[in-house]
Amino acid sequence: MSKPRSLIAGNWKMNGLSADGWALADAIVQGARDLPAGRAELLVCPPATLIGLVAEAVTGSPVALGGQDCHADRSGAHTGDVSAAMLADLGCRYVIVGHSERRADHGESSATVRAKAEAAQAAGLSAIVCVGETWAEREAGKTEEVVTAQVAESLPAASTSGNLVVAYEPVWAIGSGRTATPEQVAEVHALIRRQLGSRMDDAGAVRILYGGSVKPANAVELLAVAHVDGALVGGSSLKAGDFLAIAAAAPAQAG
Ligand code: PEP
């Protein structure tokens, strides 16, 4: 089976005020026009405060919009939270759930992540479910055990390639400048693909992203690894030139 079309997703995290957000989104929209057609799908995930503004900037362009998190409930008494339906209402097509910063900063368990992913799918969004081991877990030889458990417990039962993306993000590689080697990435992505295969009919079409210090200098090598169908990019997604260069590094695939 051929690789699915790559998804290059930018996670802006808690960065940007209105002017920066508009300028960054606009530069990505303009630059996306120069990318080879069909090379990769581009996605930007701004902080919640900028989603409405960035929605305007990307309207009519091939750049998709996503949120960085959502609540598991559709509405209600959850001060400060944002629901998947609210994200969809603003034009989002994706939402990241289970990012390691959410799992660590907000104590989110895999059960919580799954509930959020279910809410996202119910609202018509694709859930980008993040999994990945810490350095201590890798050192202890527990990478396979940890990732297998996170996948088993975080993915909704009703997932399909149309509403699920999995992101393998080793915690030790996020924002650290330390990238997993192609061999390490290949091993875990193959593991995730096998696990998806045991629970879904169209597992081969589910995109599995790698995330962790992806930059233009390492993107070609990482995106060429088997079962790597794109990247979840943090720091390098805040510079339009770097983000576009990563997108340009994606191998050409039929959509
Ligand atoms: C991320 O936050 O998802 C991420 C991969 O960050 P960075 O690219 O900065 O390592």
Side-chain angles (χ1 to χ4, degrees), residues 11 13 99 101 169 173-175 211-214 232-235:
N11 174 12
K13 309 195 188 191
H99 191 283
E101 288 156 12
E169 297 209 308
I174 295 177
S213 298
V214 177
L232 182 51
V233 185

Side-chain angles (χ1 to χ4, degrees), residues 133-159:
E133 81 287 0
T134 62
W135 182 249
E137 289 164 343
R138 177 164 282 274
E139 286 272 89
K142 291 189 169 161
T143 299
E144 181 170 339
E145 183 188 326
V146 169
V147 172
T148 300
Q150 287 181 344
V151 169
E153 293 162 18
S154 305
L155 303 195
S159 297

Side-chain angles (χ1 to χ4, degrees), residues 164-217:
L164 175 74
V165 175
V166 179
Y168 169 54
E169 297 209 308
V171 178
W172 48 273
I174 295 177
S176 65
R178 268 167 92 192
T179 314
T181 65
E183 293 72 25
Q184 290 169 327
V185 175
E187 198 176 357
V188 178
H189 279 238
L191 169 76
I192 294 171
R193 183 76 70 200
R194 284 197 301 276
Q195 209 177 342
L196 293 177
S198 68
R199 49 185 289 159
M200 297 167 60
D201 290 339
D202 62 347
V206 175
R207 288 177 292 188
I208 307 175
L209 313 184
Y210 168 74
S213 298
V214 177
K215 42 191 183 251

Side-chain angles (χ1 to χ4, degrees), residues 44 59 63 76 158 186:
V44 291
T59 296
V63 179

Side-chain angles (χ1 to χ4, degrees), residues 2-153:
S2 63
K3 270 187 158 196
R5 185 177 176 216
S6 298
L7 175 64
I8 307 298
N11 174 12
W12 295 5
K13 309 195 188 191
M14 196 174 70
N15 292 296
L17 302 179
S18 305
D20 322 305
W22 179 272
L24 179 55
D26 189 53
I28 290 169
V29 167
Q30 301 308 326
R33 298 185 209 283
D34 298 329
L35 290 175
R39 177 58 61 98
E41 180 182 359
L42 266 65
L43 166 67
V44 291
C45 301
T49 51
L50 294 181
I51 290 175
L53 185 76
V54 173
E56 280 183 52
V58 302
T59 296
S61 84
V63 179
L65 185 63
Q68 296 177 12
D69 180 51
C70 67
H71 196 276
D73 288 351
R74 193 177 164 82
S75 62
H78 301 293
T79 303
D81 280 316
V82 172
S83 76
M86 290 169 176
L87 296 175
D89 186 46
L90 288 176
C92 290
R93 291 180 33 221
Y94 293 89
V95 61
I96 300 166
V97 291
H99 191 283
S100 59
E101 288 156 12
R102 300 264 346 154
R103 289 180 188 259
D105 296 356
H106 299 269
E108 292 186 2
S109 66
S110 289
T112 303
V113 174
R114 185 176 60 212
K116 290 180 175 212
E118 284 168 353
Q121 293 174 346
L125 302 178
S126 284
I128 302 176
V129 179
C130 301
V131 298
E133 81 287 0
T134 62
W135 182 249
E137 289 164 343
R138 177 164 282 274
E139 286 272 89
K142 291 189 169 161
T143 299
E144 181 170 339
E145 183 188 326
V146 169
V147 172
T148 300
Q150 287 181 344
V151 169
E153 293 162 18

